[in-house]
Amino acid sequence: MGDHGEDNEVCPGDHKKQRLMMSRLEDLAAALEDARLEYEQVESGSFKELERYENYTYVKGESELTMDMESHALPEGADAASVDGTVYCGDNLALLKYMAEGEYKGRIGMVYIDPPFFTEKKQSGSQVTSMGVVRTNEYEDSWDSFRDYMRELAARLIGIREVLSDKGLVFIHLDWHAVHDVRVLADEIFGEKNFVNEIIWT
């Protein structure tokens, strides 16, 4: 009896971990519901063609005012005919809705996304100038809450699901900060049986 009783003992730390786990799962469930509502309510907006290089086209959302299109022109000497596709500049959630409501619904073969990692830090980069390498602030990877981060990402995953073909693939680039939680979201949105594999690179 004594041994059996010891097996059933639970340390105070285990209770804390269980509470944290339940809180995390509740946040994920709430974020997913918020995301579904956000995707339903988002307006697809409108996108207009700005520049065309034979088969290479730039399209810009009317609400996006910060994109400097001149800096995104093809490099000098590039063969425009060898580049096939369209570059859209604007809010990606509105763009996904725009594509899903048009000819792209269920037709995209592959999507690759590189979202913020939930590091809660300011992300910086570098740019080579005549004065040397200059550090630049890229974006703030900080959020009001874990639920807010998951809502933002889940809404876009829902949009991606709408444009993917039945055999389409989505690659989600993340690190250890949120990858396990996002896997749970992706299983719910795309179906657990559709998970293919995890790619780890260093």
Side-chain angles (χ1 to χ4, degrees):
M1 291 293 292
D3 291 340
H4 181 66
E6 289 176 5
D7 290 341
N8 290 329
E9 288 182 2
V10 179
C11 297
D14 292 336
H15 285 302
K16 184 177 181 180
K17 289 179 181 178
Q18 290 173 359
R19 288 196 299 271
L20 287 174
M21 184 180 296
M22 289 302 299
S23 175
R24 199 79 160 181
L25 291 173
E26 289 170 0
D27 280 344
L28 282 172
L32 185 56
E33 289 306 309
D34 292 344
R36 285 172 172 149
L37 182 61
E38 181 178 0
Y39 181 77
E40 289 175 3
Q41 295 180 342
V42 69
E43 295 183 4
S44 60
S46 57
F47 293 79
K48 58 184 178 181
E49 180 180 319
L50 292 185
E51 300 181 44
R52 179 180 291 272
Y53 296 87
E54 296 185 19
N55 293 329
Y56 194 51
T57 306
Y58 284 110
V59 179
K60 186 175 182 181
E62 293 182 354
S63 62
E64 180 62 54
L65 303 177
T66 60
M67 183 63 67
D68 178 12
M69 294 307 300
E70 291 183 3
S71 67
H72 291 264
L74 285 177
E76 185 177 351
D79 181 8
S82 67
V83 183
D84 184 17
T86 302
V87 177
Y88 288 89
C89 301
D91 181 86
N92 51 26
L93 185 58
L95 174 60
L96 286 166
K97 191 71 172 288
Y98 169 83
M99 297 176 76
E101 291 178 347
E103 60 181 300
Y104 293 102
K105 183 177 178 64
R107 296 186 59 190
I108 302 299
M110 191 196 82
V111 176
Y112 172 87
I113 63 172
D114 187 11
F117 286 6
F118 195 64
T119 61
E120 299 285 41
K121 296 179 180 178
K122 180 182 292 185
Q123 301 300 312
S124 61
S126 60
Q127 184 175 357
V128 179
T129 70
S130 58
M131 301 296 291
V133 178
V134 177
R135 299 292 294 179
T136 58
N137 291 327
E138 299 295 331
Y139 63 93
E140 289 277 355
D141 186 13
S142 56
W143 306 84
D144 293 336
S145 65
F146 169 76
R147 174 175 169 176
D148 185 52
Y149 168 80
M150 286 297 169
R151 174 187 56 78
E152 290 270 346
L153 185 53
R156 284 148 181 84
L157 292 177
I158 290 169
I160 290 170
R161 181 195 60 195
E162 294 299 307
V163 299
L164 274 183
S165 69
D166 290 340
K167 295 183 178 180
L169 294 171
V170 55
F171 293 82
I172 307 171
H173 180 199
L174 289 168
D175 72 357
W176 60 268
H177 287 91
V179 65
H180 301 294
D181 299 299
V182 174
R183 167 70 192 277
V184 175
L185 278 182
D187 283 347
E188 185 67 25
I189 293 170
F190 298 102
E192 184 177 358
K193 63 181 177 61
N194 291 317
F195 175 74
V196 178
N197 209 338
E198 181 179 14
I199 301 172
I200 300 175
W201 60 279
T202 58

